Amino acid sequence: MSERIARIESLLDTAGPAATELVGELLGLYGEGLARVMELVGEDHAARLAADELVGPLLLLHDLHPLDTRARVESALAGSAADVLAVEADLVRLRLRAGGCRSSADGLRQAVRDAAPEIERVEIELADQALIPVESLAVRVRAT
């Protein structure tokens, strides 16, 4: 789907005003049709449609997705070592829990962007790592 979107964007860059207006009108028409479909199918089917890899992004495009941004991000990160701290406009802030792999930051960013393409920035902070006291590392000799 991303290839198709890139192709459309490329064509629009070279299109004249009438073609751009036509695309806008078609998007509006399809958006109204999708809105009607979402009204008619009910919550259970709406969730199934939203989870579809082709339909979900179309629902996002027309602001019809049944889950808000925070819910989609939290669902995408479920089971990861990250906690969602904030979702604000185009920003998601995460905290990587102690024991989480720092190299997973790119994977977390990608998961957020896949779930919420409207997010432009993902900030990740590291949780304070618990330190092992030096005293506990010393080997104690047991008296016999």
Side-chain angles (χ1 to χ4, degrees), residues 22-99:
L22 173 63
V23 170
E25 290 298 319
L26 284 171
L27 278 173
L29 177 65
Y30 282 109
E32 289 176 23
L34 277 173
R36 179 74 52 86
V37 168
M38 295 302 283
E39 288 174 14
L40 294 172
V41 299
E43 286 184 31
D44 290 340
H45 292 296
R48 288 182 52 214
L49 287 170
D52 184 85
E53 66 184 38
L54 181 60
V55 178
L58 293 175
L59 295 176
L60 287 172
L61 176 68
H62 294 285
D63 200 26
L64 296 170
H65 202 286
L67 298 178
D68 66 11
T69 303
R70 184 177 193 99
R72 287 183 278 121
V73 168
E74 288 176 344
S75 177
L77 298 178
S80 74
D83 296 313
V84 178
L85 300 177
V87 177
E88 306 162 353
D90 66 347
L91 168 69
V92 168
R93 288 186 317 122
L94 306 174
R95 175 177 294 132
L96 188 59
R97 290 190 294 271

Side-chain angles (χ1 to χ4, degrees), residues 129-133:
Q129 301 290 331
L131 297 177
I132 300 171

Side-chain angles (χ1 to χ4, degrees), residues 102-119:
R102 292 177 190 212
S103 65
S104 67
D106 288 338
L108 293 172
R109 283 186 179 88
Q110 189 59 51
V112 168
R113 289 192 178 105
D114 288 346
E118 66 273 24
I119 297 300

